[in-house]
Amino acid sequence: MPFYYGFDIYYIILILPALLFGLWAQSQVNSSFNKYSRVGTMRGMTGAQAAEYILNQNGIYDVEVRHISGNLTDNFNPKNKTINLSDSVYNSTSIAAVGVAAHEAGHAVQHAVNYKPIRIREMIIPVTQIGSWLYLPIILVGFIFSSQYLVNLGILLFSTLAIFQLVTLPVEFNASNRAIATLEGSGILYGEEITGAKKVLRAAALTYVAALVSSLAQLLRLVLIFGGRRKD
């Protein structure tokens, strides 16, 4: 086993750097959002109004824009067809608020045009949920009873989390690209406002990259610790 003086060496060289990268990515989100949440737009459109505008521009009239509590809890829910905007976005006329709202509207557009990566992500969610619940118990049972088959099955189940994170990347980047194109083309944002919105959305995208890195690091750690073990 990869333990030296009580330390898990794979945790130190794989998981810890991934965690630090995740913390850095989150700090970038908070920093950019806080900065541009204090800068209003020339047009004065709120986050909710921007989302509604983008929906209408794309011929989407069955998605409701709602206000929810919290900070950066914004999301698009395809099940009940709602864009849910947080306290700092819904009524705010800041560059950050409009950018985030446009991003969520971008997800609604993806569903409307049947964007393939988002459909793939939805299809693998049930498998991913099962994998996240069962991978560790199965690996432990396999380890205890020296069953490499069960260990490999557990690792395979965990790999579905990494696959989910991988599929999520194009979904999130595409939603942001749609948002920026619409904001710029419609005149909702001008000049440096577009630059600010891009910085906010790029910082947010880093968190999804960090999630993928974390999943891959954990998958590699499981493979190195448990993969290929043989019964003595």
Side-chain angles (χ1 to χ4, degrees):
M1 294 293 287
F3 296 97
Y4 298 92
Y5 301 102
F7 292 101
D8 177 354
I9 189 65
Y10 293 143
Y11 184 92
I12 295 173
I13 65 176
L14 293 173
I15 305 303
L16 187 57
L19 290 175
L20 293 175
F21 177 53
L23 291 174
W24 176 79
Q26 189 59 52
S27 71
Q28 294 301 300
V29 174
N30 295 334
S31 175
S32 60
F33 186 85
N34 290 338
K35 176 180 178 179
Y36 289 101
S37 66
R38 295 191 291 267
V39 183
T41 64
M42 291 176 60
R43 189 163 177 177
M45 187 176 285
T46 67
Q49 290 171 336
E52 289 279 8
Y53 181 88
I54 293 173
L55 292 175
N56 293 338
Q57 285 293 103
N58 286 274
I60 303 173
Y61 302 102
D62 59 347
V63 174
E64 180 184 359
V65 179
R66 296 180 180 177
H67 175 231
I68 58 173
S69 60
N71 181 47
L72 294 179
T73 51
D74 312 271
N75 65 87
F76 168 66
N77 188 333
K79 293 182 179 179
N80 60 9
K81 292 189 174 183
T82 59
I83 292 175
N84 304 287
L85 302 179
S86 62
D87 295 329
S88 55
V89 172
Y90 187 86
N91 283 318
S92 174
T93 60
S94 71
I95 293 173
V98 171
V100 169
H103 174 88
E104 300 306 332
H107 284 310
V109 175
Q110 288 174 333
H111 274 267
V113 301
N114 202 31
Y115 180 60
K116 287 185 180 180
I118 203 168
R119 297 301 184 186
I120 294 173
R121 185 175 72 169
E122 289 176 348
M123 286 190 295
I124 67 176
I125 284 177
V127 178
T128 300
Q129 291 175 331
I130 293 173
S132 65
W133 297 333
L134 296 180
Y135 85 90
L136 187 56
I138 290 177
I139 288 177
L140 292 177
V141 170
F143 177 73
I144 292 171
F145 292 99
S146 299
S147 172
Q148 190 61 42
Y149 172 80
L150 287 178
V151 169
N152 291 342
L153 177 60
I155 294 174
L156 180 63
L157 286 173
F158 181 85
S159 71
T160 62
L161 277 73
I163 294 172
F164 175 80
Q165 298 295 349
L166 181 62
V167 175
T168 293
L169 284 185
V171 172
E172 296 300 329
F173 280 110
N174 179 263
S176 291
N177 290 338
R178 290 176 187 271
I180 293 299
T182 303
L183 292 173
E184 191 169 21
S186 62
I188 295 177
L189 297 182
Y190 301 93
E192 291 301 313
E193 296 175 348
I194 291 291
T195 302
K198 285 181 179 179
K199 289 181 179 179
V200 171
L201 296 181
R202 284 172 183 167
L206 278 176
T207 62
Y208 295 101
V209 175
L212 174 60
V213 170
S214 179
S215 294
L216 291 175
Q218 179 64 1
L219 177 60
L220 180 57
R221 176 172 175 262
L222 291 174
V223 170
L224 291 173
I225 294 176
F226 297 107
R229 288 177 55 85
R230 297 181 182 277
K231 184 175 180 180
D232 295 334

